[in-house]
């Protein structure tokens, strides 16, 4: 079996750049978007991530990977950080990190879990929790590029309060032609939502996804169990494994 | 030392054991894969070693189980920065599989059910440092961790330990694999923090 092919090989060393916080947006009680100014940022594809490195006064360093939340605007990039209560990096970024403060970033990284704006095939995005971040980057890049590729997003969250980018998703569903968004609530559903809270299953993927004969590109991002479930469902429905790209969260801080 | 981020202290770190730079400890066993988990029935599973001249050496599941078994007790290090100490495995050393294989190749490309590939210098598969493992912590290796069998090369970042391994091809020249083509390092030494191309 041939190896999956990817784009051109990156050979330039990835350098650490100094990024400064220019804006913070509260998305949910536990998720925030940080807009960073990164002089020299080389640009990126939707779906790619970067590493953020923190250095303490005594020289101790900790780094973690975060998905880029949208296309770069010049040297401005955005990441959305889900606060991990016992984490080492995310609580600093959500609670302490202040406007103008420096962190170091390195990227973009990853050439597989990306959607390129010249693709015309239908796209299915399936997000679990903060797994929506790299998928939102694709939704935003689609809009920015004027792409007409048909997009469907299935977004699984605990409760309506946990929906990241809620207002923008409402607006884009109205304004961006060819974008549909369906929600799956696992703990509590909003009034008027049809069905009971449940974990994502075959009916959700079958109802809100694309049939395999349309040859969609599928991107699944979320916690490991979620991604395993959805990827298995898609393969079971007949989607070729090579068109099902996944990104799983491990425990991160 | 990097640019100090004001107010960042990090975790208390007096009790930390020696980890490769940039790694943190996890008790959990995270999963990192590029696609769906392949399910490979044991009665059709095989491991194929192909030399640079095209000669093939094949092992069925039963034949693999019939070879001398080893029980590596090793630390593993993922490029996404988690490390896990003292993991227990059982499998067959690549030394055993390479014994009697006629080759002058210097590079290996491991390939997997599902299409994944990763490259290593052949020398890194020798010398008691690499195994095809089928058992983790006393039980069959779960599919999401690469079962029925995966490569185990603990001295390199864990993406080199190809899950669902199906074979190894030997080459005279280095052939980048899946993640390496996507920007990750060709060698991947955790102690030298070789995460991405150019590190």
């Amino acid at each position: 079996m041939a190896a999956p092919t990817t784009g051109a090989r990156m050979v330039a060393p990835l350098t650490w750049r100094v990024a400064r916080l220019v804006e913070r947006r509260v998305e949910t009680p536990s998720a925030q978007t940080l807009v960073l100014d990164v002089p020299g940022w080389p640009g990126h594809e939707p779906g790619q991530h970067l590493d953020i490195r923190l250095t303490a006064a005594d020289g101790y360093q900790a780094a973690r990977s975060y998905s880029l939340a949208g296309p770069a605007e010049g040297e401005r990039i955005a990441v959305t950080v889900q606060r991990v209560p016992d984490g080492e990096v995310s609580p600093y970024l959500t609670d302490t990190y202040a406007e103008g403060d420096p962190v170091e970033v390195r990227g973009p990284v990853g050439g597989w879990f990306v959607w390129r704006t010249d693709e015309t095939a239908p796209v299915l995005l399936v997000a679990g929790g903060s797994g929506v971040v790299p998928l939102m980057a694709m939704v935003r890049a689609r809009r920015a590029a004027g792409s007409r590729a048909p997009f469907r997003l299935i977004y699984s969250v605990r409760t309506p309060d946990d929906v990241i980018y809620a207002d923008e998703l409402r607006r884009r569903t109205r304004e961006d032609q060819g974008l549909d968004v369906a929600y799956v609530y696992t703990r509590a559903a909003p009034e008027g939502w049809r069905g009971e809270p449940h974990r994502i299953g075959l009916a959700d993927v079958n109802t809100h996804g694309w049939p395999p004969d349309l040859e969609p590109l599928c991107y699944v991002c979320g916690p490991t169990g979620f991604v395993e479930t959805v990827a298995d469902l898609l393969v079971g429905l007949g989607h070729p494994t090579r068109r099902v790209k996944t990104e799983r969260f491990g425990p991160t801080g | 030392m990097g640019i100090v981020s004001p107010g960042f202290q990090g975790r208390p770190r007096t009790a930390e054991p020696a980890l490769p730079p940039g790694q943190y400890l996890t008790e959990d066993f995270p999963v990192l894969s590029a696609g769906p988990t392949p399910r490979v029935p044991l009665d059709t599973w095989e491991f194929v070693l192909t030399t640079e001249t095209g000669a093939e050496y094949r092992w069925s599941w039963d034949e693999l189980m019939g070879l001398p078994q080893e029980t590596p007790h090793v630390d593993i290090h993922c490029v996404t920065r988690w490390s896990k100490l003292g993991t227990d495995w059982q499998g067959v050393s690549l030394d055993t599989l390479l014994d009697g294989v006629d080759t002058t190749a210097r590079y290996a490309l491991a390939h997997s059910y599902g299409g994944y590939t990763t490259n290593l210098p052949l020398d890194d598969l020798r010398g008691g440092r690499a195994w095809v493992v089928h058992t983790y912590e006393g039980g069959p290796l779960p599919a999401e961790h690469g079962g029925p069998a995966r490569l185990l090369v603990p001295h390199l970042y864990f993406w080199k330990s190809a899950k669902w391994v199906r074979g190894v091809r030997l080459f005279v020249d280095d052939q980048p694999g899946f993640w390496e083509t996507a920007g990750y390092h060709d060698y991947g030494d955790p102690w030298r923090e070789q995460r991405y191309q150019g590190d």
Side-chain angles (χ1 to χ4, degrees):
Chain A
M1 201 178 296
T5 51
T6 55
R9 195 134 191 248
M10 300 195 305
V11 287
L14 286 170
T15 53
W16 289 103
R17 299 173 199 276
V18 177
R20 288 180 197 277
L21 181 66
V22 291
E23 189 191 341
R24 173 192 301 278
R25 286 180 225 136
V26 175
E27 304 281 2
T28 72
S30 60
Q32 295 178 8
T33 293
L34 308 179
V35 181
L36 304 171
D37 185 51
V38 191
W41 182 255
H44 60 268
E45 307 267 13
Q48 288 192 293
H49 59 271
L50 52 53
D51 288 354
I52 295 184
R53 181 167 76 180
L54 305 177
T55 302
D58 66 356
Y60 172 78
Q61 295 185 322
R64 298 290 184 275
S65 292
Y66 290 98
S67 290
L68 288 146
E73 291 177 22
E75 295 178 331
R76 291 229 162 143
I77 58 169
V79 294
T80 301
V81 177
Q82 178 81 38
R83 190 182 192 284
V84 179
D86 60 349
E88 181 174 33
V89 171
S90 64
Y92 172 82
L93 292 176
T94 54
D95 304 353
T96 309
Y97 187 42
E99 235 169 85
D101 282 352
V103 294
E104 286 175 291
V105 301
R106 190 185 192 210
V109 183
W112 175 245
F113 193 83
V114 297
W115 176 74
R116 293 189 167 82
T117 52
D118 57 0
E119 287 277 359
T120 54
V123 171
L124 173 64
L125 310 173
V126 190
S130 56
V132 73
V133 178
L135 307 182
M136 190 63 175
M138 298 175 190
V139 170
R140 289 169 167 167
R142 173 185 184 273
R143 168 74 177 198
S147 160
R148 292 188 296 165
F151 262 45
R152 288 181 175 173
L153 166 64
I154 308 176
Y155 186 0
S156 169
V157 281
R158 289 188 188 132
T159 75
D161 288 343
D162 295 304
V163 176
I164 303 174
Y165 317 125
D167 292 343
E168 185 180 343
L169 281 171
R170 259 192 299 274
R171 192 174 74 245
R172 292 207 179 279
T173 317
R174 257 192 338 261
E175 295 173 2
D176 294 12
Q177 288 194 359
L179 168 68
D180 289 315
V181 182
Y183 296 90
V184 175
Y185 299 96
T186 59
R187 301 249 177 101
E191 264 186 56
W193 189 68
R194 285 191 289 174
E196 292 296 310
H198 64 275
R199 286 182 182 272
I200 195 164
L202 181 62
D204 303 297
V205 176
N206 212 7
T207 306
H208 303 294
W210 302 102
D213 53 293
L214 292 182
E215 300 182 358
L217 288 164
C218 305
Y219 298 85
V220 188
C221 185
T224 295
F226 175 87
V227 171
E228 285 288 310
T229 299
V230 174
D232 286 350
L233 288 172
L234 289 168
V235 172
L237 284 167
H239 294 272
T241 56
R242 295 273 301 278
R243 289 181 83 81
V244 180
K245 302 192 180 195
T246 62
E247 192 154 275
R248 297 159 165 89
F249 300 161
T252 53
Chain B
M1 177 164 145
I3 304 289
V4 171
S5 290
F8 176 67
Q9 297 182 320
R11 287 205 174 100
R13 37 193 187 274
T14 44
E16 291 271 312
L19 286 175
Q23 297 293 110
Y24 64 91
L25 263 188
T26 179
E27 303 292 320
D28 211 347
F29 194 170
V31 174
L32 186 76
S33 317
T37 295
R39 318 277 164 184
V40 191
L42 294 187
D43 56 353
T44 58
W45 183 92
E46 64 174 357
F47 183 82
V48 185
L49 212 150
T50 311
T51 71
E52 71 276 22
T53 61
E56 290 184 348
Y57 301 76
R58 289 173 184 272
W59 292 268
S60 69
W61 186 259
D62 289 343
E63 287 166 343
L64 187 84
M65 294 301 152
L67 293 173
Q69 302 287 312
E70 297 186 4
T71 53
H73 176 82
V74 296
D75 303 338
I76 54 180
H77 310 290
C78 179
V79 70
T80 63
R81 296 193 161 77
W82 58 263
S83 290
K84 195 168 168 58
L85 304 184
T87 57
D88 281 298
W89 308 79
Q90 186 184 319
V92 175
S93 168
L94 262 292
D95 292 319
T96 303
L97 298 172
L98 285 162
D99 188 31
V101 170
D102 184 20
T103 180
T104 56
R106 293 183 49 219
Y107 296 97
L109 188 72
H111 59 102
S112 299
Y113 289 93
Y116 178 79
T117 56
T118 190
N119 57 322
L120 315 90
L122 182 53
D123 275 353
D124 285 77
L125 293 178
R126 290 185 158 132
R129 294 189 296 165
W131 298 265
V132 172
V133 291
H134 49 75
T135 298
Y136 173 70
E137 302 290 342
L141 181 62
E144 69 265 31
H145 291 307
R150 76 181 296 161
L151 206 57
L152 177 68
V153 194
H155 70 283
L156 300 177
Y157 280 128
F158 214 43
W159 91 79
K160 298 287 182 181
S161 296
K163 294 176 184 175
W164 315 294
V165 70
R166 184 181 199 177
V168 168
R169 293 189 202 108
L170 305 183
F171 289 95
V172 174
D173 299 315
D174 199 6
Q175 314 277 329
F178 173 78
W179 289 116
E180 295 83 11
T181 313
Y184 285 79
H185 199 273
D186 275 320
Y187 187 62
D189 181 346
W191 296 94
R192 289 192 281 165
E193 242 186 305
Q194 293 172 333
R195 299 178 189 276
Y196 309 124
Q197 290 290 332
D199 277 351

